[in-house]
Amino acid sequence: MSRHFGFVAAGVASAALALTAFGATAASAAPSAGDCGGNPYHLRVVQAIDVSASGKSLIGQNTKYTCGDDDGQFIPVGKPKKFTFAPGAKAFLLNRVHDQQVSVTDLLQRVHACKANPGAVQYPASCRSQYVITVNKTGAITTIAQRYQP
């Protein structure tokens, strides 16, 4: 479960609470055969590429969930685009496999450092480049959380 959601849940109850905190809801119907039973919480995942020239926006690609050999994965699709942040947006980075709240500026600095050098951050931090996001009605990111992926 932790590989798909970007954070580790201690159990089903905490997983549901954490998903609710990130704005995801459980699917009301069984997943379709087209998405091979994946992404049951309809998470929106972005593949980070870099930051904008101003350093205040994220440049990334939307992703889609696809089937893999033994597990599904999110793969980038479409052209890179700029993702802006809503005032008061919350950002979370992984510290080992646990999420840690940071400022949006800290998150963007990590994305940029990792673009130049994937070994730029010291363990237990990582340069994993996929993020679960929630957005407001204007499309600005309200929550962004680095996603654990094997």
Side-chain angles (χ1 to χ4, degrees):
M1 181 181 267
S2 65
R3 287 188 279 174
H4 296 290
F5 303 124
F7 45 94
V8 176
V12 174
S14 62
L17 177 62
L19 288 170
T20 301
F22 288 113
T25 56
S28 58
S32 70
D35 73 352
C36 61
N39 200 10
Y41 295 100
H42 303 285
L43 298 178
R44 182 165 177 195
V45 175
V46 170
Q47 178 81 35
I49 297 172
D50 202 354
V51 298
S52 64
S54 70
K56 297 183 183 213
S57 301
L58 178 71
I59 304 299
Q61 288 177 272
N62 284 310
T63 64
K64 73 173 185 171
Y65 188 86
T66 63
C67 297
D69 291 335
D70 66 348
D71 207 356
Q73 62 185 344
F74 289 91
I75 60 168
V77 294
K79 294 181 179 182
K81 67 180 226 171
K82 186 188 318 184
F83 292 86
T84 59
F85 292 89
K90 295 183 190 239
F92 298 87
L93 290 172
L94 289 174
N95 184 351
R96 290 191 175 101
V97 294
H98 302 286
D99 57 333
Q100 174 181 356
Q101 188 167 358
V102 298
S103 70
V104 169
T105 301
D106 288 344
L107 181 136
L108 291 172
Q109 288 173 345
R110 166 94 54 95
V111 168
H112 185 67
C114 290
K115 161 88 169 143
N117 176 9
V121 297
Q122 298 289 323
Y123 179 82
S126 75
C127 278
R128 297 184 188 279
S129 61
Q130 289 190 343
Y131 294 85
V132 176
I133 65 169
T134 58
V135 298
N136 63 18
K137 61 185 171 187
T138 66
I141 294 173
T142 57
T143 305
I144 183 168
Q146 192 175 28
R147 181 178 168 271
Y148 175 80
Q149 64 200 47

